[in-house]
Amino acid sequence: MTMNPNQQFLTAVAMSGGVDSSAVAAILVQRGCPVVGLTMQLWNQRRLPELDLDGARGQRCCSLDDVYDAKRVAQHLGMPHYVVNYEQQFEETVVQPFVADYLAGRTPIPCTLCNNHVKFDPLLVTSRQIGADHLATGHYARIRHNETTGRYELLRAVDGAKDQTYFLFGLTQQQLSRTDFPLGELDKTAVREIARQAALPVAEKPESQEICFVPSGNYVQFIEAYLGERGETLPEEEGDLVTTSGEVVGRHRGVHHYTIGQRKGLGIAAGRPLYVLDLDRAANRVVVGDDAELRSESCVVGNVNWISFAALEAPVRATVKIRHRHEPAVATVEPIDATSARVIFDMPQRAITPGQAGVFYSGDVVLGGGWIR
């Protein structure tokens, strides 16, 4: 959805301190729109200091430095700016489910959880409380209103390399109606140039690389430290590495150390490459096998949020993305019930992973998405 340059309603800008959201603020200020910056405090950066072994805190999103950068940009643009504390919501709806999913043998996506439960939920509420009708963010995606169906649609960004719709499938109609993505029609080069032309203090700032609460990118270390902080311990760790036929070929160090499709670090010499096929938390087993056994023709996606229509009533042809860097694959999506669907791929797909998202597309339009079960 392209914003009207003449609009005069107050818009809140979600300012992360990075180039993208800062450029959004600059664009709106240049258009003469009344704007206010909101920066979310999501995670106490002083927690679990033992994890910051390589000084990685400054390389992840939502760090303290990012908060300061957002404030500097707002001051430079002459706009009001506030920091809002969502630490409790973030821990309850993102961090705790992230840990629980890993311990259950799933591979979660914390950025999607954050979008669903923090950025486009309490932040929209806060925006309205301060009188802002809309929330603008630095996501690379597009929104449009379909006059025929009366529904808001989510579309891929023009810059395919930066497209973030895979992480935004949980947006509801109400949220889409109040959200703006000014960068959806731009590529990263153009965004950088906007930042430079506006003399933003973050114009040359590199992109964050790590999850905000995992400074080193090592999920296992974070889970162990987080549970230790809470006085909890990991469940029984060691168990059997088995093939699909049940043959024991080695021992694993704990199910949470592995992900579907993993090859390295298995600690076994089988004379051929072996990959993780399944994580059986109930039996405390890691199932391994050949690459061909990683490929599946179908999967079930649950907790689906349909965007282009209220519900899927009949099978539909779509392209389906099963992880962020996955090339969408042609498939038939069949309804199971109102919030779950079966995906049958034309060609078997590699390493379909429980806990990741399955997002359905028709061209550039996101039909909906949910969690692979």
Side-chain angles (χ1 to χ4, degrees), residues 52-350:
D52 192 28
L53 301 178
D54 300 315
R57 292 189 187 275
Q59 301 173 18
R60 53 179 169 163
C61 71
C62 307
S63 68
L64 288 176
D65 287 343
D66 290 328
V67 175
Y68 298 142
D69 283 343
K71 178 72 70 176
R72 291 168 59 210
V73 169
Q75 291 174 342
H76 175 76
L77 294 172
M79 56 184 285
H81 175 262
Y82 304 97
V83 178
V84 289
N85 191 314
Y86 294 146
E87 287 186 25
Q88 180 177 346
Q89 296 100 314
F90 184 76
E91 183 157 6
E92 292 175 353
T93 62
V94 179
V95 179
Q96 292 175 3
F98 171 86
V99 173
D101 277 350
Y102 254 103
L103 294 182
R106 295 185 290 271
T107 306
I109 313 174
C111 292
T112 299
L113 292 174
C114 186
N115 284 333
N116 289 354
H117 302 297
V118 182
K119 290 181 180 176
F120 295 95
D121 196 357
L123 194 58
L124 274 168
V125 172
T126 299
S127 299
R128 176 157 286 173
Q129 288 172 340
I130 63 174
D133 294 285
H134 276 66
L135 173 69
T137 80
H139 288 96
Y140 286 82
R142 292 177 289 162
I143 300 172
R144 74 181 178 196
H145 186 256
N146 188 317
E147 299 296 339
T148 301
T149 64
R151 295 182 68 83
Y152 286 89
E153 296 177 331
L154 177 66
L155 289 81
R156 298 180 204 263
V158 169
D159 185 348
K162 297 295 295 180
D163 175 62
Q164 292 173 292
T165 52
Y166 180 78
F167 302 109
L168 298 169
F169 70 83
L171 292 181
T172 65
Q173 287 294 297
Q174 190 274 339
Q175 291 168 341
L176 288 167
S177 71
R178 295 186 54 221
T179 299
D180 295 303
F181 297 137
L183 306 187
E185 303 285 347
L186 305 174
D187 62 25
K188 187 70 178 191
T189 301
V191 172
R192 285 278 185 193
E193 187 57 30
I194 289 171
R196 293 185 184 112
Q197 290 296 323
L200 298 183
V202 297
E204 307 303 331
K205 184 176 179 178
E207 295 187 63
S208 58
Q209 300 296 321
E210 305 295 349
I211 295 172
C212 59
F213 58 93
V214 186
S216 66
N218 189 317
Y219 298 164
V220 174
Q221 286 182 356
F222 171 80
I223 292 170
E224 292 174 342
Y226 182 76
L227 291 177
E229 180 191 62
R230 296 163 61 90
E232 302 175 19
T233 57
L234 284 168
E236 183 67 27
E237 290 199 19
E238 289 192 0
D240 289 332
L241 282 165
V242 301
T243 64
T244 50
S245 64
E247 177 189 0
V248 176
V249 293
R251 298 283 287 174
H252 69 72
R253 298 172 292 139
V255 171
H256 65 287
H257 284 274
Y258 304 86
T259 58
I260 304 297
Q262 178 178 337
R263 175 184 173 185
K264 297 181 179 179
L266 300 184
I268 53 177
R272 68 185 193 281
L274 291 179
Y275 302 83
V276 174
L277 306 180
D278 187 31
L279 303 174
D280 187 348
R281 164 55 68 187
N284 194 30
R285 301 187 311 174
V286 173
V287 182
V288 298
D290 298 326
D291 181 74
E293 296 178 278
L294 266 179
R295 302 178 186 278
S296 303
E297 295 180 348
S298 66
C299 67
V300 171
V301 179
N303 297 324
V304 176
N305 176 57
W306 297 109
I307 299 176
S308 295
F309 35 77
L312 183 65
E313 298 178 352
V316 63
R317 295 288 285 172
T319 55
V320 180
K321 202 169 187 176
I322 58 173
R323 54 186 164 270
H324 177 43
R325 298 300 182 188
H326 175 247
E327 182 67 28
V330 179
T332 298
V333 182
E334 301 177 343
I336 296 176
D337 54 40
T339 59
S340 59
R342 183 178 305 280
V343 180
I344 303 172
F345 293 100
D346 287 10
M347 298 291 292
Q349 298 300 299
R350 188 178 188 276

